[in-house]
Each structure stands twice: as C-alpha cells, then as structure tokens.
Amino acid sequence: MEKIIINGGNPLKGTITVSGAKNAVLPIMAASLLAEGPCRLMDIPRLADVTTMSEVLGFLGGRIVPEGPQEMEIDCSEITSVEAPYEYVRRMRASFLVMGPLLARVGRARMSLPGGCAIGTRPIDLHLKGFAALGASISIGHGSIEATAPELVGARVYLDFPSVGATENIMMAAALAKGVTVIENAAEEPEIVDLANFLCSMGARVMGAGTKIIKIEGVKHMRGVTHGVIPDRIEAGTYMVMAAATGGDVLVDNVITDHLKPVVAKLAEAGVQVKEEGSGIRVRSSRPLCAVDIKTLPYPGFPTDMQAQTMALMTGAQGTSVVTETVFENRFMHVNELKRMGASIIIEGHSAVVKGVPRLTGAKVKATDLRAGAALVVAGLMADGETEIAAVQHIDRGYENMVQKLQAVGADITREERDGEECRLCD
Ligand code: EPZ
C-alpha cells in the first residue's frame, strides 16, 4: 500500500504553484453535457476526481480527449446514456452533478443515490427540491434515483442551506429550462462564479452568481467553448498553512487573493506574516503562533475545507483554540489521528478545543478523507520524527503532486510502498 512518509522539522522555503480548482473543474466538466459541441478546458488539475468525472462523462457518451498536461477536450454532442452507475457515485459524490445537465439536455437522468461518507450523510434533498420545482418527476427506489422532465419550466427555488452542489445542479438544469429561474439563498463560492462564467460563455443567461440570488433565463441551445479554470483556493490555503506550520518562507503562486480573505485573516491573527506578492501570496512565520478560534461558514466565511488543516496548525500554537464546524456534521475525523501525534484536542459537540503543545511527535496515522489527509501532512511537517500516512488515495483526490511540490520547497517527504489495508473512497 502506498504511504506518505515525512520527517518533520524542515522550514519550507521557495515557491509553490497552485493548480486549477478541483471544486470548479468538476461542475464545469458536468456542465459540458449541456453543449451541442466540444468544450476545451484549460488549467485542469491532474487529480483522481477529474479522472472519475471523465469516466462518468465517457459512460454517458461523452468523448474526452486529453490535450496536454493541463488541457482536455470534452465533446458531449452525443449523449448515449442517462445513467451514472453506482461504482462512480460511490467513488465520488460530485458525480451527482451530472443530474442537472442531463435533465436539461435529454429530459431524463438516473443514478444511484450518493451514500454518506466520512464527513457526513451528504443528503441531496435540496438538489431534488430544485429539480421538482422546475417540473421534474422524481422517483427513488432500490438505491437509485430517477428524474424525468419532458420540459423544464423556470421557477423560484429557496435553498434552506446555501448548498454548493445544489446551487450548481439547479443552475445547470435551469440553463435550458423554459422561462426564468431564481435561486434564493444560493451558495456564493468562487467556484459557483466560475461555473456561471462557463455557462454564460456557452450561451446561457446567468445573472448574480457570487451573490445569494441567482437568476437564470433559459435558452434553447448551448455551444461548446474554451474555458480556463480558476486556481484552487483550498490547495493554496493548505500550502499557506504548511508554510506557517514549519516556520518557513514560501511564495504560494497563482492565487486569486480575494478568494482567500478568511484564510489570510486567520493566519495573520495567529501571527503569520502574509503579503500579496505578484500573482501569489508570500507566507512567513518564525515564532510560535498564537492560538485563534475558527468557525467554518459558507463562503465568504472561513471555508470548511480548510478546517482540518488549520486545526493541525493550532495544535502547536500558544494558547487554546476553539474550532467550530458548522457546515458538516462529522468533520472531525482527523482529531483522533492528530491526538496519536501528541495533539491535545477535546471534542465538545460541533466544536473541538485545541490546547497548543510544544511539539508533535511523528506516528503512523491514516487519512479518512481528503482534507483530513492534508491535515496529517501539516502535522507531519511540524512533528519531531517520522510520520507515516496511510490511505493517501484520499489526498490524491484533491492535491496534484503534493509530495513533489513539498519536496521542491525543502520538505523531507516521500511516497513509498509499505504494508497496509485498502480504504473506501467517498465525498
Ligand atoms: C462542495 O460539496 C465541495 N465539493 C466540498 O468540498 C465542500 O466541503 C462543500 O461544497 C462545502 O463548501 C465540491 O464542490 C465537489 P454542500 P457539496 O452541498 O456541494 C448539506 C472538498 O474537500 N446539504 O454545500 O456536497 C450537507 O449535508 C469537498 O473539496 C443538505 O442538507 O456541499 C452539508 O451539511 C468536501 N442537502 C452542507 O449542506 C442537500 O441537498 C454543505 O453541503 C445538499 C447539502
């Protein structure tokens, strides 16, 4: 079994270049189902999840042609199936994002229900609420869900929670609906804006993306276009935390600073020197950091996808930090693994109380989900001695070449075969 091995203590120094955003490219790939011609996507990150989405689109009749290391052409002119089988949805919940575009393009979609996973039950009720509002008939049975709609008609949809996926799925379904759709209490993440820009360049009429009210005027046809994906703000934040955790001096390059405001603010509050520099952000830290409280919220609040990594940073800060997770019901799977490395953490409901300790010690630990795995890398870089991280396939889902990027800035980190057990993928 492949594992990541880290000998901690090296301050990271140099430049790390951020790849395209996983959580932008996945909905954008799904949206290519709406186009009657080929789309060319650029700045694509090489991630396991991108491979999975390519397989899903291929199963539906899409033709995916890699065009170099960070580019691909996706041609969904011919859709030959409306069903995404269980094996894909089990592997990646984001497969569910093909439902909206399939409904819009061919009036039918069938897929297995995305099960829950390590970070929560991950329901889809808000996606279905939107599809039903647009006139789709939904039937659920035998672990599958089928939606049919001879014609989608624009409607007003209020999201009880600003769900990113539901906002994206409804936007894509509404793009070819008859009339106007208004999504209220929509998610405001930058990835929503990137998807909306892609949809508009294909000929859709989407207004208000990035705010709580998104209006979509349905059109009859959408064409293939070329689109470059935005940089990954969570990957960028993760490397900023790693630079701070090791007392390093790193330029995290290819970032949109505006997307990182809550992360920059929290790191600065903890005593990290953070400064815009060219197309990146330079992160320096030299003294023990101050403990700061973290509360995750939908964008523009502090991102839940940065919670685990920042908690790992706080395990070595001076003082006590309270980390509150408000977005997912079970996103503290990394706590037990961090405690195996000497962290002092007590979970109280939706909060984790983190008391800073002078040093972590390396240990054998296991990634339970994508960001928990990243948090263990943060901890391993900080710890005395060797840390061995199992189930690294979770990390491969969202971080392109993490080991190589860290080796290039002085981390003592490798990937090697060591005995270990299989692990189920999800989220
Ligand atoms: C997206 O997941 C991201 N994934 C997640 O990133 C991210 O953590 C999440 O948004 C929140 O920002 C992708 O974009 C591919 P949600 P998504 O729907 O769309 C509840 C990572 O690490 N909810 O905004 O699945 C849900 O249970 C991944 O890169 C409903 O109740 O997230 C959760 O508590 C992990 N009903 C909350 O909303 C629904 O119908 C947020 O979920 C849908 C969601």
Side-chain angles (χ1 to χ4, degrees):
M1 189 73 198
E2 262 202 315
K3 296 190 176 180
I4 286 179
I5 314 300
I6 304 170
N7 285 290
N10 296 7
L12 303 186
K13 294 195 187 298
T15 298
I16 294 178
T17 301
V18 174
S19 304
K22 168 179 83 80
N23 292 348
V25 73
L26 294 177
I28 285 171
M29 289 175 74
S32 61
L33 285 163
L34 295 165
E36 294 167 10
C39 292
R40 188 182 188 87
L41 302 183
M42 303 183 295
D43 307 317
I44 302 286
R46 281 161 295 183
L47 300 171
D49 277 7
V50 171
T51 303
T52 301
M53 184 59 89
S54 299
E55 290 167 1
V56 171
L57 295 177
F59 195 86
L60 300 173
R63 196 171 54 80
I64 290 88
V65 180
E67 301 278 348
Q70 252 103 20
E71 290 191 26
M72 69 167 63
E73 181 177 279
I74 304 180
D75 186 348
C76 295
S77 312
E78 302 296 321
I79 292 178
T80 55
S81 166
V82 293
E83 177 158 2
Y86 175 68
E87 65 174 287
Y88 296 119
V89 184
R90 175 184 74 84
R91 209 183 322 157
M92 183 183 71
R93 169 187 168 81
S95 313
F96 198 69
L97 291 172
V98 302
M99 195 135 204
L102 279 176
L103 258 186
R105 184 82 189 279
V106 297
R108 191 161 157 257
R110 180 181 170 79
M111 56 197 319
S112 63
L113 285 166
C117 70
I119 64 176
T121 52
R122 312 295 293 276
I124 52 167
D125 57 308
L126 298 176
H127 299 242
L128 303 184
K129 177 180 182 181
F131 297 152
L134 292 170
S137 308
I138 313 275
S139 63
I140 295 177
H142 310 296
S144 285
I145 178 166
E146 178 154 355
T148 51
E151 181 185 56
L152 290 175
V153 178
R156 183 174 287 273
V157 185
Y158 174 78
L159 295 181
D160 308 59
F161 183 91
S163 155
V164 171
T167 301
E168 292 166 341
N169 240 335
I170 297 165
M171 257 168 59
M172 292 187 281
L176 291 175
K178 189 171 169 213
V180 176
T181 297
V182 177
I183 304 173
E184 294 177 319
N185 197 30
E188 302 173 82
E189 276 71 0
E191 293 75 26
I192 304 276
V193 177
D194 202 23
L195 173 61
N197 290 338
F198 178 62
L199 293 173
C200 290
S201 62
M202 292 159 83
R205 292 182 50 74
V206 182
M207 284 74 73
T211 74
K212 288 198 169 305
I213 308 277
I214 302 178
K215 191 164 98 170
I216 306 105
E217 288 175 34
V219 296
K220 291 198 181 321
H221 300 285
M222 291 169 70
R223 58 187 174 275
V225 293
T226 297
H227 182 85
V229 170
I230 57 170
D232 193 317
R233 62 191 168 97
I234 305 301
E235 184 194 13
T238 302
Y239 289 123
M240 290 167 67
V241 164
M242 290 173 176
T246 57
D249 179 350
V250 175
L251 176 64
V252 179
D253 204 12
N254 186 33
V255 304
I256 297 175
T257 311
D258 206 37
H259 295 170
L260 281 153
K261 277 184 181 166
V263 176
V264 168
K266 271 300 160 185
L267 288 177
E269 195 182 318
V272 181
Q273 298 156 57
V274 190
K275 193 166 67 72
E276 275 191 73
E277 186 177 309
S279 55
I281 295 180
R282 181 169 294 279
V283 179
R284 285 194 188 92
S285 88
S286 52
R287 52 187 171 75
L289 300 176
C290 309
V292 293
D293 293 341
I294 303 285
K295 180 175 185 180
T296 68
L297 287 168
Y299 195 89
F302 190 89
T304 175
D305 293 347
M306 281 298 302
Q307 180 257 104
Q309 303 92 302
T310 313
M311 184 191 291
L313 178 68
M314 288 297 106
T315 63
Q318 282 186 330
T320 298
S321 160
V322 178
V323 179
T324 304
E325 173 59 56
T326 74
V327 176
F328 287 104
E329 72 262 28
N330 181 33
R331 207 169 192 175
F332 286 151
M333 304 288 280
H334 43 285
V335 168
N336 285 338
E337 300 302 303
L338 291 173
K339 288 169 76 172
R340 288 170 51 73
M341 299 176 71
S344 169
I345 307 172
I346 297 169
I347 293 179
E348 293 173 0
H350 290 286
S351 294
V353 180
V354 184
K355 191 172 177 305
V357 295
R359 289 300 286 184
L360 296 180
T361 50
K364 290 190 178 185
V365 291
K366 183 174 173 183
T368 50
D369 61 85
L370 167 56
R371 307 303 175 184
L376 296 176
V377 176
V378 174
L381 291 169
M382 294 163 68
D384 282 338
E386 179 180 278
T387 297
E388 177 187 286
I389 303 174
V392 296
Q393 65 278 14
H394 286 291
I395 296 174
D396 295 339
R397 295 186 54 190
Y399 291 94
E400 182 181 39
N401 297 333
M402 177 186 271
V403 168
Q404 293 89 324
K405 290 187 180 184
L406 288 172
Q407 285 172 341
V409 289
D412 180 347
I413 182 171
T414 55
R415 267 179 97 115
E416 47 190 85
E417 283 296 328
R418 290 194 181 183
D419 58 0
E421 68 276 3
E422 275 299 319
C423 170
R424 192 174 82 87
L425 277 183
C426 73
D427 83 52

